[in-house]
Amino acid sequence: MKIYKKGDSQSYTLGVFPTIESLENKPNYVKRIVVHSSIEKNRGYPKIQQLCKIHHIPIDIHDKTIDKLSPKNNCFAIGVFDTYESSLNEGNHVVLVNPMDMGNMGTIMRTMLGFDYVNLAIIRPAVDIYDPKVIRASMGALFHLNVQYFDNFESYYQLYKHHEIYPLMLKGATNIHHVQTENIHTLIFGNESSGLDDSYLNYGKSVFIPHSEQIDSLNLSMALGLTLFHFSKQEFKERKVLRGNV
């Protein structure tokens, strides 16, 4: 096996938990599992064995491959899978414009899944979602999401302009605390260094997150987490009520 390079037709998970996520959610794309000889001590290994048996996926024990591909010493499993294309479903969307940080991307995916946002549009140029560093940072959340790349925002907008559009901007016109919606919506975020340019003021209702004057801005993953929490408050409040009535 070779170290992944952007655009390769195959990639791999790093770690037991992301490997299980790939086997549970995208088994048709998983080609084989490579494990370390010491994986017997890991509680997740029986689950890997069970899923591989169900889906007829081979397991190889190969310490040298693990050592070559994993930058950390605590990796016991690697799942090799074919990269694939997916399309967005109708529902609430997150749009990331030119995201470049692999760690942020993984964190964003995991945060999205935590708030039941499963549709992610990415405007190029952008980080490669199949880089193993992204997959590891997402803890396998990638395999739950519908992710689609677009060459520009207008291409996305023409397909989903019926959504309520909310660009998150420092120049946003509306305090996020004054925004409430139960309609299908799209939340747009700029990249880590420059955010969204002024052209996004022309789309939908621009929103800002208020914070103290002691910082100039929130980082991308933090801003996204706060925004998803705000926009999903009502849904999770209703879930809590329903759970209390059970």
Side-chain angles (χ1 to χ4, degrees):
M1 280 184 62
K2 62 179 182 178
I3 294 174
Y4 178 81
K5 293 183 179 179
K6 187 173 184 178
D8 282 352
S9 61
Q10 286 191 336
S11 185
Y12 45 86
T13 59
L14 294 171
V16 169
F17 188 79
T19 299
I20 291 173
E21 289 290 283
S22 70
L23 288 167
E24 287 186 328
N25 295 285
K26 291 290 187 280
N28 293 340
Y29 295 99
V30 180
K31 296 304 176 186
R32 66 187 176 108
I33 305 298
V34 181
V35 300
H36 195 275
S37 57
S38 61
I39 196 173
E40 294 283 353
K41 305 173 185 177
N42 191 285
R43 291 181 298 174
Y45 189 40
K47 185 69 172 178
I48 289 177
Q49 291 176 306
Q50 177 190 25
L51 290 167
C52 285
K53 183 177 181 179
I54 292 171
H55 298 293
H56 307 291
I57 297 169
I59 300 176
D60 301 324
I61 299 174
H62 206 279
D63 292 3
K64 287 185 177 180
T65 298
I66 298 285
D67 294 339
K68 174 184 176 182
L69 298 181
S70 175
K72 298 184 178 180
N73 295 325
N74 62 344
C75 181
F76 298 98
I78 288 174
V80 181
F81 66 94
D82 288 338
T83 58
Y84 53 91
E85 294 184 1
S86 58
S87 299
L88 304 180
N89 291 335
E90 190 55 75
N92 298 328
H93 292 178
V94 169
V95 175
L96 299 180
V97 179
N98 311 139
M100 295 298 179
D101 186 279
M102 288 186 284
N104 267 350
M105 176 61 79
T107 300
I108 285 167
M109 289 178 169
R110 192 177 183 192
T111 303
M112 286 180 60
L113 190 59
F115 289 105
D116 277 347
Y117 283 73
V118 296
N119 292 289
L120 174 60
I122 301 176
I123 310 303
R124 296 187 180 97
V127 68
D128 181 1
I129 60 169
Y130 290 117
D131 190 291
K133 295 177 182 177
V134 173
I135 300 168
R136 184 161 188 151
S138 82
M139 291 299 290
L142 165 67
F143 302 111
H144 293 261
L145 304 182
N146 306 310
V147 183
Q148 186 173 351
Y149 282 90
F150 293 85
D151 289 331
N152 51 69
F153 178 73
E154 190 63 26
S155 298
Y156 167 86
Y157 180 71
Q158 290 303 317
L159 294 175
Y160 298 103
K161 56 186 175 182
H162 58 284
H163 285 201
E164 290 187 0
I165 306 290
Y166 295 98
L168 273 291
M169 307 177 67
L170 291 175
K171 294 182 179 180
T174 306
N175 186 319
I176 192 171
H177 296 301
H178 300 154
V179 177
Q180 291 186 342
T181 182
E182 296 181 4
N183 299 323
I184 294 175
H185 54 266
T186 292
L187 306 173
I188 312 170
F189 300 85
N191 74 6
E192 297 82 357
S193 60
S194 58
L196 295 174
D197 64 51
D198 288 354
S199 67
Y200 285 88
L201 292 168
N202 299 317
Y203 294 100
K205 179 185 290 186
S206 60
V207 176
F208 69 91
I209 302 173
H211 54 72
S212 77
E213 295 180 357
Q214 298 184 70
I215 60 171
D216 59 356
S217 64
L218 297 166
N219 69 33
L220 174 58
S221 55
M222 179 63 74
L224 180 133
L226 290 170
T227 303
L228 298 192
F229 171 76
H230 176 82
F231 275 82
S232 62
K233 277 191 303 185
Q234 186 60 36
E235 179 183 347
F236 279 88
K237 183 178 180 179
E238 290 172 357
R239 287 190 191 183
K240 184 177 181 181
V241 171
L242 289 172
R243 188 179 301 170
N245 291 333
V246 173

